[in-house]
Amino acid sequence: KEAVPSSAIKLNTAAKAYVKKDAPVRIPRIETPPAIDGLLNDPVWETAAAFGDFIQIQPGDNVPPKHETEFMMAYDAKNLYIAFRIKQDRSTVRANVSRRDNIFNDDYVGVFLDTFNDERQAYILFFNPFGIQGDGVITAGRGEDYSVDLLLESKGVLTEDGFTVEAAIPFKSLRYEAGKNKNWGIHVYRRVKYNNGELDSWMPNNRSIN
């Protein structure tokens, strides 16, 4: 597919500060939802919580990554919105139009959402550069199960300097405990296939903890 010019999706990020890793992150509520087209040119992404400073956890052990990754989150009354801005040489991006859950030979990005914050089970929400979904659940002691398909909308586009992905996850697709000031757990990941299958994470990884 033809790459989308970076100028078409570039936002003014000069004043954007990344969220801190040593405290809970408050996700902003928005009034106008973004169009899920993968372009990241909606105003929501100017004010969304922005996660940066990713760390390579494979094959390196918490070392600087090969490329820059930015992840963003916001929500409204109906949906949780997430987006990725990926920097990478366009010629090295692996992306195929494939079936759902058959994306793991491509580059991919995504999150684990532990909606009860109990470190026992989390939703898996992964996307290849075209926004094709690889979703399911992960359970402590049992691993990943991709037979679970969530209702969600996503789209990704290739750019001149990488790719971008945008998704809307309806709250009705998730199980969670309602109420104010509830914390969820999260892991954010990126897989870079051409670079020895590099895996980058927002949080560092302790290899001594299974």
Side-chain angles (χ1 to χ4, degrees):
K1 286 193 174 182
E2 184 178 352
V4 176
S6 344
S7 58
I9 61 169
K10 188 174 182 181
L11 298 178
N12 179 16
T13 58
K16 182 180 291 185
Y18 289 135
V19 298
K20 296 181 179 181
K21 301 186 183 187
D22 59 356
V25 177
R26 183 169 293 277
I27 308 303
R29 178 167 177 158
I30 60 172
E31 298 301 325
T32 303
I36 305 302
D37 53 16
L39 296 180
L40 309 192
N41 53 6
D42 298 277
V44 54
W45 303 124
E46 294 277 12
T47 58
F51 299 64
D53 302 320
F54 279 64
I55 299 164
Q56 182 189 145
I57 61 173
Q58 293 177 2
D61 186 5
N62 298 321
V63 300
K66 178 77 171 179
H67 305 286
E68 180 184 351
T69 300
E70 184 178 43
F71 171 68
M72 292 167 284
M73 296 183 74
Y75 77 100
D76 61 15
K78 294 183 178 180
N79 299 303
L80 178 68
Y81 301 100
I82 64 174
F84 287 85
R85 183 179 289 108
I86 298 302
K87 299 295 185 182
Q88 186 173 330
D89 188 316
R90 169 66 184 87
S91 65
T92 66
V93 174
R94 296 190 186 180
N96 293 281
V97 178
S98 57
R99 297 191 308 273
R100 185 174 189 159
D101 297 333
N102 193 31
I103 67 169
F104 297 106
N105 288 323
D106 291 343
D107 292 339
Y108 58 87
V109 293
V111 301
F112 288 177
L113 279 181
D114 178 1
T115 55
F116 289 96
N117 201 32
D118 59 8
E119 300 183 7
R120 294 181 180 179
Q121 188 175 74
Y123 292 100
I124 302 170
L125 304 168
F126 284 132
F127 310 92
N128 82 351
F130 293 136
I132 298 172
Q133 302 156 12
D135 59 334
V137 295
I138 183 170
T139 305
R142 294 167 54 187
E144 300 173 357
D145 177 5
Y146 289 96
S147 67
V148 178
D149 289 331
L150 303 179
L151 175 66
L152 67 152
E153 182 182 4
S154 59
K155 182 68 185 292
V157 296
L158 303 179
T159 66
E160 292 177 338
D161 57 357
F163 63 93
T164 53
V165 173
E166 196 171 24
I169 304 103
F171 286 112
K172 66 182 181 181
S173 295
L174 306 174
R175 292 180 60 247
Y176 59 94
E177 186 178 3
K180 293 184 178 181
N181 300 316
K182 300 293 184 181
N183 285 343
W184 291 10
I186 190 171
H187 274 306
V188 189
Y189 292 110
R190 170 190 180 181
R191 181 73 74 178
V192 188
K193 284 291 185 174
Y194 90 94
N195 194 38
N196 295 319
E198 175 181 334
L199 183 62
D200 300 334
S201 170
W202 181 57
M203 293 296 289
N205 179 60
N206 187 336
R207 294 184 177 181
S208 68
I209 300 175
N210 185 18

